Amino acid sequence: MDKLVIRGGNRISGTIAASGSKNSALPVIAATLLTPDGTFAIDRIPDLKDVRTFIQLLDYLGAETSFENNLLKVSTSDLKSIEAPYELVKKMRASIYVLGPLLARFGHTRVSLPGGCAFGPRPVDLHIMVMEKLGATVTIEKGFIDAKVNGKLRGARIDFPIVSVGATGNALMAAVTAEGTTILDNAALEPEIECLCNFLVKMGARIDGIGTTTLTIDGVDQLKAVGFENIFDRIEAGTLLAAAAITGGSVTVTGVVPEQLASVLDAFRQSGCAVTVKEDSVTLVAPEKLLPVDITARPYPEFPTDMQAQWMALMTQAQGNSTIIDRVYHERFNHIPELNRLGAKIDIRDNWALVHGPQELTGTKVMSTDLRASACLVLAGLVAKETTEVLRVYHLDRGYEAIEKKLTTLGADIERAKYQEF
Ligand code: UD1
């Protein structure tokens, strides 16, 4: 397996380009299943393990794909299967995104249930509820979601009891070719959903209210393949800014939409960082001493749960105590015991964490447990004395494109190495 070996203490400084977003790339790729008409060319797709797994899933279904230099070409004109198998779904929960488009196009699909997750239960009941509201009959059989509809899906009003990025995405993909009008209330506002809407509209879908919590979709008969450019990865950008903040450095991330980082930039400013925003770049200069900032992770536009772990690493260096609450995933705190092994002092009280800052961190071996927890440990390693080894780095590879190369460019002493797990 791969590990990252980090010799801490270097300041992270310089200019770096943001990669394309993973969380928008996956639903956009899924949406190509909606139409047999033509070949899609989608640019700025990050070269990541999750993206490669999704492409593998499309290949399995019978799509023709090519992926080079962040350009993905896909034709789904000749699909051979309507089933997403366990072997691929278990690698990546986001495979559930094929449910909506396959059901809409073929009137039948079988998608393996995703199973457990490193940070607590992550049910798919809302995805199933959406398909049922749109007229499908859904049964759970031998670990598969089997969804069927006689004829076409039918538009409906769907009020989400909680905000779900994935269920909103699946609802959009199922509704764009349904008969009549679908209204999604309490829809997710995340930029990745806005990106999916823009992609679907380019394909010929009719969606009103993009960028709001109420989306109105008028079903159309036909969609076509198009060219498209994916959006930037706001979580990667936030992580790179955090790398500068934690090491007393200064970083400019280019190719971003600063408004989409607003809650994170606000937290950086409160922590004493100087943040300058230009049309498509953000510069962060770390302060002499970081201030503690309490954050609560909530759906967009509030502080993202996907930046919560990285923020916790940063707060271990703040001049005072801070609290971190995650209202999206109540059990997303696997990084705490590992941070504590590096010398942090963090207590968990129910669903919130109390970070005692500042604490000097000292490198040792730590283990990644999920994607963002790995990013948190890398950040801690950048500031820790001596050498930190982050094991099971495959979690990080799921969501960060060439992260150690980017950090090396910015001055980090970080390298990838092989190791054997006992
Ligand atoms: C997406 C992101 C993930 C991010 C999360 C929240 C992708 C590929 N992943 O995940 O990185 O952390 O949004 O911003 O885009 N829920 C249910 N029932 C469901 C679906 C969700 O109860 O059927 C709950 C979840 O357990 C969670 C909350 O809803 O507590 C939000 O989850 P959701 O927004 O659906 O996350 P994902 O789309 O899976």
Side-chain angles (χ1 to χ4, degrees), residues 22-23 26 93-94 97 121-127 162-167 190 305-306 328-329 332 372:
K22 166 178 87 73
N23 287 354
L26 301 178
R93 288 181 50 84
Y97 272 133
R122 289 174 75 183
V124 289
D125 56 316
L126 296 175
H127 297 255
I162 53 169
V163 176
S164 165
V165 175
E190 269 68 3
T305 172
D306 287 350
V328 181
Y329 296 110
R332 196 175 198 178
R372 306 303 168 186

Side-chain angles (χ1 to χ4, degrees), residues 225-254:
V226 292
F228 189 72
E229 184 170 316
N230 186 25
I231 59 169
F232 84 104
D233 195 312
R234 62 197 168 97
I235 306 303
E236 184 213 27
T239 305
L240 293 167
L241 295 174
I246 202 170
T247 59
S250 153
V251 155
T252 298
V253 185
T254 59

Side-chain angles (χ1 to χ4, degrees), residues 285-313:
V285 181
E288 279 285 287
K289 292 196 166 169
L290 279 164
L291 303 172
V293 181
D294 301 336
I295 58 122
T296 300
R298 289 199 173 93
Y300 188 83
E302 306 232 22
F303 196 92
T305 172
D306 287 350
M307 270 299 291
Q308 177 259 103
Q310 299 89 312
W311 192 259
M312 198 176 294

Side-chain angles (χ1 to χ4, degrees), residues 47-126:
D47 193 347
L48 300 169
K49 200 122 130 250
D50 274 7
V51 165
R52 296 250 170 210
T53 304
F54 215 100
I55 295 172
Q56 215 183 335
L57 177 55
L58 257 65
D59 290 340
Y60 174 89
L61 296 171
E64 270 179 44
T65 60
S66 80
F67 184 40
E68 248 179 309
N69 300 324
N70 299 111
L71 178 67
L72 175 67
K73 292 192 178 157
V74 190
S75 163
T76 66
S77 46
D78 204 11
L79 294 186
K80 293 171 185 63
S81 173
I82 50 146
E83 179 171 308
Y86 176 67
E87 289 73 10
L88 289 169
V89 178
K90 81 170 168 32
K91 283 192 186 174
M92 188 185 54
R93 288 181 50 84
S95 311
I96 188 84
Y97 272 133
V98 301
L99 180 66
L102 286 179
L103 178 63
R105 179 161 156 194
F106 297 103
H108 184 204
T109 182
R110 277 166 57 79
V111 180
S112 169
L113 280 167
C117 167
F119 48 92
R122 289 174 75 183
V124 289
D125 56 316
L126 296 175

